[in-house]
Structure formats: structure tokens, C-alpha cells
Amino acid sequence: MSEILVVEIWRGAEDGHFQSFDVPRLENQTVLDVVTYVQRKLDPGLSYRFSCRVGMCGSCAMTVNGTPRWTCRTHVSRVAEDGQLQIAPLRNLPVIKDLTVDMRNFFDKLAKAGGAFQSTKARTDNFAQIPPADPRRKQADAGIECIGCAVCYAACDVVTWKPTYLGPAALNRAWTLVNDARDGMGDKRLSLVAGDDGCIACHSQQGCQEHCPKNLSPTAAIAGLKRSVAVAALKGKL
Amino acid sequence: MSEVTQTRLWLAQRISAMVLAVAVAIHLTGIIIAIQGGLSAAEIIGRVGGSFTLAAFYGVFVLACAVHAPIGLRTVLAEMTDLKPVSVNGIAGAFAAVILLMGMQAVLGFYGLGGG
Ligand code: SF4
Ligand code: SF4
Ligand code: FES
């Protein structure tokens, strides 16, 4: 293990540049540790985001050596190439400064795709009883662990080509709710995810599931949405 | 264009793809079998000309092409160029018309030639 890591970090907004820093190499060091070292010891002006440091909050995603990753759970040993690390902001989102991007588009699209649970019961009603083996529940469970990190969104080429595309995370979220027996939005949600900006724009190239740190498969969720949307369209229910 | 129309176009493209898959298979098999008996223009007209079944089959083939290809072109143009949606839809529509006209002209032409 070399003692010093040469780290290139993006500085500025869209028209910025990479700045090089020397960071002492430590054992079990994560990419987030590296960025934090730079901010604490070398340049307090460096902007970046993190919160939980344990892979739960979804705020620390960056582009590491060209690949979108959650930095708090990415060990330097896994990604450094010849003691070199290049850290840039996430792709497909406007850069605010350094490593921080404007996530509004990403979160707005979650809402646009009907990502909010619509309850059919009041708090006085009894709990819904859904067997864990229920096929629909299994579909919902498969995508429920999303932490909203936007790694998939940064990995998706369709988002790059068509900035209005809802993207993998929003569609994955919609699919969990389509399969949630307690949710009351029904076909309305399918109309929200249909159309040129919705699930039918996905090319099924699986960049999203290749990069999702939670190993989810938005591609499979989107395929499910496509089937449901096709059936709804044939029945005239969109 | 409304989301419902966009979704119907997508659906039409999927359905026409299924039709095309079958039609291309029949077409290729047909060619391979037909070549055995020679490949002159007269031979082809002799077999294809005046046949209502073949005219109907190739009519469906052309129709499926005219539905399938322009919708795909529309998606490619929308993703890869800065053209406005009106222009994209216009180009795709014109492309559909060209395929339909040229294809149908060929089908009807052969049918009109009679049985050689
Ligand atoms: S599978 Fe679909 S959503 Fe996922 S990266 Fe590819 S185009 Fe984007
Ligand atoms: S689907 Fe995966 S990559 Fe996408 S936001 Fe959720 S956790 Fe992140
Ligand atoms: S800091 Fe919370 S997921 Fe990385």
C-alpha cells in the first residue's frame, strides 16, 4: 500500500476543473474519509454532502474514477487505480459547487411518478394483513430498500439523452407502490408513469441495476411497469 | 401529444414488432423455397403476381413496417437530436407515409401483373 494517495477533486460548478491533493493512505479508508480529510485538513472551502456514513441516508454519492458510487461505503482499496483517485460530482444533475449537485430534479421526479403512498385507511382501522409470501408484496419488497442516492439516475444514459425522463429511482418507487395492497392510487399512478417521459422510455440496458449500491433492480421494476401500463392502455384505463 | 397517445404509439410499436417477427420468418422461408425454382423476373412474377393471398400477406407486412419503423425513428430523433417535438413527429409521420406508399405500390404492382 503506497503511503500517499493522489486525489483529484472537482472544484467549481459546471465549468470547473480538477484540483489535486495528497492524502495519507490509511487502512480501511473510504472515499468519503478521503474527501473529509481534504475538507478538514487541506481546504475547508471544499463542498460535499454526507450524513449517516453507514449507507442509509443516500446523501454521499459522487463519481469515483468515472463511476457513480456511494462514497461512505466504498473502500479506497477497491477503487483506487495505481494510488490515484478522481472524485467528481454525480452526472445528470446540475453541479452547485465542487461535489454537491442540485438534487431537485431527482426528487421532483419521485413525486411526479406518484411516489407518495396514498392511504386507504384511517388510523382507527386495523392493520392490513399481507402475507410476506404474497406475490405482489414480494415485488414491492424487491425495490423497497432504495435510499434515494441517485446513483442509478447518474448511471442512466436515457436521463442524459432525455432530461425529462423520470429515471430509474422514481419508476422503481412507483412499482413498489403499484404492488402495495394498502395503496389507493391505482390506475392513476400508471398514467403518471406512462408516456414518453415514463417507463416506456427505458432501454433496459441495466446501467441502473449495475450501479445501485443496494443491489436493487430498477430495470426489473420498470419492466413490470411496462407490462401494467400496456394492459391498462389496452383496457383504455390510462 | 398526450401521454395516452405516446403510450399507444409504444404499444403499436410492440405489436407491430410481433407481426414483423412472424412476417419476416415467413418471407425468408418463402424466398429460400422459391429460389429453388430459379430467380428470373418472370419466375417471380409467375409465382407472386395475381395472388390475393400473397398480396394480402405483403400488405400486412408493409403496414407493420409503416407502423414500426417510424415510431422507432421518432424515439431516436427525440433522444439524439435537438429537434422540437413537432418536427420529430412530422419527420416520423412523413417517413411512415413514404414506407406505406412505396410498399403498397410494390404490393399492388405485383398483384396487378397477374399470374405472368
Ligand atoms: S435500464 Fe432503463 S432506467 Fe436503468 S439505466 Fe437503463 S435506461 Fe436507465
Ligand atoms: S434505486 Fe439504488 S441507486 Fe437508485 S436511488 Fe435507490 S438505492 Fe440509489
Ligand atoms: S453518508 Fe449516508 S449513505 Fe453515505
Side-chain angles (χ1 to χ4, degrees):
Chain A
M1 190 163 74
S2 66
E3 300 297 301
I4 293 290
L5 198 63
V6 181
V7 189
E8 301 232 288
I9 297 184
W10 186 257
R11 303 308 301 268
E14 301 285 348
D15 54 350
H17 60 278
F18 282 100
Q19 186 181 350
S20 191
F21 297 95
D22 288 348
V23 177
R25 185 77 176 81
L26 299 170
E27 214 155 321
N28 293 327
Q29 195 175 24
T30 64
V31 174
L32 185 63
D33 292 337
V34 169
V35 177
T36 300
Y37 179 91
V38 172
Q39 199 263 346
R40 301 255 161 104
K41 309 268 187 203
L42 305 178
D43 186 348
L46 176 67
S47 302
Y48 69 112
R49 283 198 196 101
F50 74 97
S51 177
C52 71
R53 293 176 297 131
V54 289
M56 294 189 69
C57 71
S59 63
C60 66
M62 299 166 200
T63 309
V64 184
N65 282 354
T67 304
R69 295 182 181 278
W70 55 356
T71 54
C72 70
R73 303 218 38 199
T74 301
H75 282 265
V76 172
S77 54
R78 261 185 51 214
V79 288
E81 289 158 8
D82 305 324
Q84 306 258 344
L85 216 51
Q86 192 191 63
I87 309 174
L90 277 186
R91 200 169 73 117
N92 291 343
L93 289 161
V95 182
I96 300 173
K97 176 175 172 286
D98 305 341
L99 301 170
T100 49
V101 289
D102 183 345
M103 308 258 307
R104 271 179 295 184
N105 281 342
F106 175 75
F107 289 120
D108 286 350
K109 285 174 181 178
L110 279 167
K112 234 177 163 182
F117 175 69
Q118 211 169 80
S119 180
T120 47
K121 297 205 177 195
R123 52 199 286 180
T124 47
D125 291 326
N126 213 341
F127 290 116
Q129 294 194 2
I130 302 158
D134 178 86
R136 286 182 67 209
R137 189 60 231 173
K138 280 182 160 170
Q139 298 267 12
D141 281 344
I144 208 74
E145 294 290 343
C146 171
I147 56 171
C149 64
V151 161
C152 56
Y153 192 82
C156 177
D157 282 338
V158 176
V159 175
T160 314
W161 299 328
K162 188 195 281 230
T164 48
Y165 173 44
L166 290 172
L171 294 169
N172 177 72
R173 170 67 184 163
W175 181 237
T176 63
L177 289 173
V178 165
N179 285 292
D180 193 329
R182 305 164 305 157
D183 182 275
M185 207 193 271
D187 292 333
K188 166 99 192 295
R189 185 173 286 107
L190 289 180
S191 359
L192 293 178
V193 299
D196 282 349
D197 292 336
C199 60
I200 63 176
C202 168
H203 289 281
S204 311
Q205 280 165 343
Q206 305 172 23
C208 51
Q209 76 179 38
E210 180 72 27
H211 293 92
C212 172
K214 300 288 290 180
N215 286 322
L216 306 185
S217 171
T219 318
I222 295 169
L225 282 178
K226 283 181 181 173
R227 282 194 299 276
S228 302
V229 161
V231 171
L234 286 171
K235 287 186 179 163
K237 281 194 178 163
L238 275 190
Chain B
M1 190 185 288
S2 78
E3 268 94 26
V4 179
T5 314
Q6 294 166 357
T7 308
R8 287 201 182 125
L9 282 179
W10 167 76
L11 209 56
Q13 199 195 20
R14 301 292 134 139
I15 294 168
S16 57
M18 293 178 216
V19 175
L20 280 175
V22 177
V24 168
I26 295 177
H27 175 64
L28 289 178
T29 320
I31 292 176
I32 290 165
I33 294 170
I35 288 183
Q36 326 267 334
L39 200 55
S40 68
E43 280 278 342
I44 296 172
I45 293 167
R47 273 192 301 266
V48 182
S51 160
F52 180 76
T53 319
L54 281 178
F57 168 71
Y58 280 105
V60 171
F61 200 152
V62 167
L63 206 65
C65 289
V67 171
H68 188 81
I71 301 175
L73 179 69
R74 176 176 173 271
T75 306
V76 173
L77 290 177
E79 282 175 4
M80 296 294 159
T81 68
D82 291 332
L83 291 170
K84 290 203 183 73
V86 238
S87 323
V88 168
N89 291 335
I91 294 172
F95 188 49
V98 169
I99 295 179
L100 197 65
L101 284 175
M102 289 176 68
M104 283 306 175
Q105 194 184 26
V107 171
L108 293 177
F110 265 115
Y111 183 65
L113 286 173

